[in-house]
Amino acid sequence: MLADLPAVPAALFIGGQLAKGAAVTLEITVLAEALVLVMALLIALMRLSPWRALRWAATLYVEVLRGISALVLLFYLYFILPLFDITLSPMATGVIGLGLTFSAYGSEIVRSALVNVSQGQRDALRALDFPPGVGLRRIILPQALPVMLPPLGNQLVELMKTTSLVSLITLTDLTFAGGQLITTLGQQALIWSLVLLCYFAMAWPLTVLVRRYESHLTAWRRPKE
């Protein structure tokens, strides 16, 4: 079918459809990652809480979501919740489903980075009578952030690639757009190759940005010439 179209209009059509799908993929990635960061920090702090009830609730959250398939969770949110009069849009379903799934893993990254800060720092905060929130924001987090940033950056890239699952709940993301183009034009090898290149083109800048931010955060550790 593709051979029946003039080369330039066909290229513009394919490029336009893939660009629209890529925009949806990036939108889901940004919104879901925002949810991941908020929930990961919250759950990590609950895991480190002195109150047993909070620790148990956070542990249950992590274990349940790590044991559930992200795809099945998306199906449950999109197809089962309406049976209980709770209806989510495809975009909200994708953001919430992926955000919750990845926040369970992200919380362990954040927790381990916070625990990595030496006990001496915490003792000093208590000795100086720092409010817990101020101590966390100004002393603990700045030291933990360089430790948690590389694995969180890898998780961000993985989240972006996992957004392909939302194509199964009617969202026209990059994967769904590629499938539609194959249905319309054929040429599976060409279309899927372009989709692969699009995912790489979106993932590589994310990796570079995370590395640059990590380098900026750890600049003080490098010896000055």
Side-chain angles (χ1 to χ4, degrees):
M1 295 181 184
L2 186 60
D4 298 332
L5 297 176
V8 174
L12 292 176
F13 177 71
I14 293 173
Q17 294 300 109
L18 293 180
K20 290 178 182 178
V24 174
T25 292
L26 289 175
E27 182 180 1
I28 298 171
T29 300
V30 170
L31 295 176
E33 181 63 18
L35 179 59
V36 167
L37 294 177
V38 172
M39 291 301 299
L41 179 59
L42 176 62
I43 297 302
L45 294 177
M46 290 174 64
R47 291 288 301 271
L48 299 174
S49 171
W51 290 290
R52 182 179 300 178
L54 289 180
R55 295 199 304 270
W56 283 0
T59 300
L60 180 64
Y61 177 94
V62 171
E63 296 304 325
V64 168
L65 284 171
R66 287 198 303 184
I68 293 177
S69 164
L71 179 58
V72 174
L73 179 58
L74 290 175
F75 282 165
Y76 191 91
L77 294 174
Y78 191 67
F79 295 111
I80 303 302
L81 286 187
L83 300 179
F84 301 95
D85 295 325
I86 302 175
T87 302
L88 299 174
S89 68
M91 177 63 73
T93 301
V95 170
I96 294 173
L98 295 178
L100 293 180
T101 298
F102 278 84
S103 69
Y105 296 94
S107 67
E108 289 298 279
I109 296 173
V110 175
R111 183 181 67 84
S112 62
L114 293 175
V115 170
N116 188 64
V117 177
S118 69
Q119 184 61 39
Q121 298 283 335
R122 305 174 192 278
D123 294 339
L125 289 175
R126 283 193 293 269
L128 295 172
D129 199 24
F130 263 70
V134 176
L136 175 67
R137 178 171 55 86
R138 299 186 62 179
I139 306 298
I140 303 298
L141 274 180
Q143 296 181 73
L145 189 57
V147 176
M148 69 177 75
L149 192 59
L152 285 178
N154 291 335
Q155 189 183 62
L156 172 60
V157 174
E158 188 65 28
L159 170 61
M160 189 273 294
K161 294 186 290 185
T162 308
T163 57
S164 60
L165 296 178
V166 303
S167 63
L168 300 174
I169 55 170
T170 72
L171 266 176
T172 310
D173 71 318
L174 180 57
T175 299
F176 190 87
Q180 286 185 318
L181 285 172
I182 291 173
T183 301
T184 305
L185 303 175
Q187 299 293 330
Q188 293 190 49
L190 172 63
I191 300 300
W192 287 131
S193 296
L194 292 174
V195 170
L196 285 175
L197 290 175
C198 287
Y199 274 111
F200 177 78
M202 292 187 293
W204 180 251
L206 293 177
T207 303
V208 172
L209 287 174
V210 170
R211 286 177 180 171
R212 287 188 176 180
Y213 187 49
E214 179 189 0
S215 178
H216 171 72
L217 288 177
T218 58
W220 61 274
R221 295 181 177 178
R222 295 192 292 270
K224 295 182 180 181
E225 297 181 357

